Amino acid sequence: MKTRIVLIDDHKLFREGIKRILDFEQDFEVVAEGSDGNEALALVEQYKPDVVIMDINMPHVNGVEATRQLIEAYPDTKVIILSIHDDESYVMHALQTGAMGYLLKEMDADALIEAVRVVAEGGSYLHPKVTHNLVKEYRRLVAEEGLGKEKQNQNQDVCRPYHLLTRRECEVLQLLADGKSNKGIADALYISEKTVKNHVSNILQKLNVNDRTQAVVVAIKNGWVEVK
Ligand SMILES: [Mg+2]
């Protein structure tokens, strides 16, 4: 039985390189290729692959969002994320979606092949650099949790750990959820309205949404904010 793979990356040349490496293995078969998150969902529905290799940075629906939707619809699908980012916030965000692997594009062919084998068998595989940064982040979070307990400030911890948002952005997001205007947020946090606007635009960008209402909906859905 071959491991059936769907390959998603918006760079055709990179995709072809990966396909060539994988097809060279007797027990692998790349059954379909796509170039954005929407195609990923359609291809998985059509081909029911064992493993999906998913680029993070893609137009339209990005790899993290596609993985989230994909695993929600097909919980047995094993996703390996492909990324150029090794910092822990990206990795944790990606793993939160249910992805079983995280590879850096600087990997060599052997790492790719090993990752597919391990993940296909139900394990998980992280690029060594990623593992190192995750361990560091884990230590930081444990230390922070200790401090957080002292401060009795759990609200911020709900928002931050698995997300790309900074603490300040989480505070702004909570105030948005409370229905506050820019002026109201500025007053509550003792910052200028211009700074609030900057925070809001960063939040929208990071959450990949168009307006503050959508941002609040996403935050409530994921339990990042407290609904009062
Ligand atoms: Mg890309």
Side-chain angles (χ1 to χ4, degrees), residues 62-168:
N62 70 43
V64 170
E65 184 51 33
T67 302
R68 193 198 320 280
Q69 292 179 24
L70 215 155
I71 289 176
E72 208 174 283
Y74 307 97
D76 293 338
T77 312
K78 292 158 179 130
V79 179
I80 298 174
I81 298 277
L82 267 184
S83 176
I84 54 167
H85 304 284
D86 64 354
D87 53 296
E88 65 294 336
S89 56
Y90 273 90
V91 179
M92 293 183 86
H93 193 40
L95 295 180
Q96 258 319 87
T97 64
M100 296 306 289
Y102 194 105
L103 284 176
L104 296 178
K105 289 194 168 180
E106 63 192 60
M107 70 195 163
D108 55 27
D110 288 343
L112 172 68
I113 292 163
E114 196 191 346
V116 174
R117 292 232 162 88
V118 168
V119 167
E121 283 169 13
S124 47
Y125 188 100
L126 302 176
H127 190 283
K129 235 180 175 176
V130 166
T131 311
H132 177 69
N133 288 343
L134 265 191
V135 169
K136 278 200 310 199
E137 174 67 0
Y138 173 73
R139 290 203 184 115
R140 192 189 66 76
L141 282 175
V142 169
E144 196 177 70
E145 198 185 325
L147 288 175
K149 272 182 192 144
E150 280 169 31
K151 287 184 190 164
Q152 295 281 313
N153 207 348
Q154 294 161 339
N155 198 15
Q156 294 175 353
D157 286 344
V158 174
C159 180
R160 176 128 209 296
Y162 304 112
H163 216 275
L164 302 172
L165 300 183
T166 63
R167 281 208 173 284
R168 190 53 122 186

Side-chain angles (χ1 to χ4, degrees), residues 9-11 55-59 105:
D9 194 299
D10 58 330
H11 288 137
D55 182 23
I56 279 201
N57 289 317
M58 293 186 294
K105 289 194 168 180

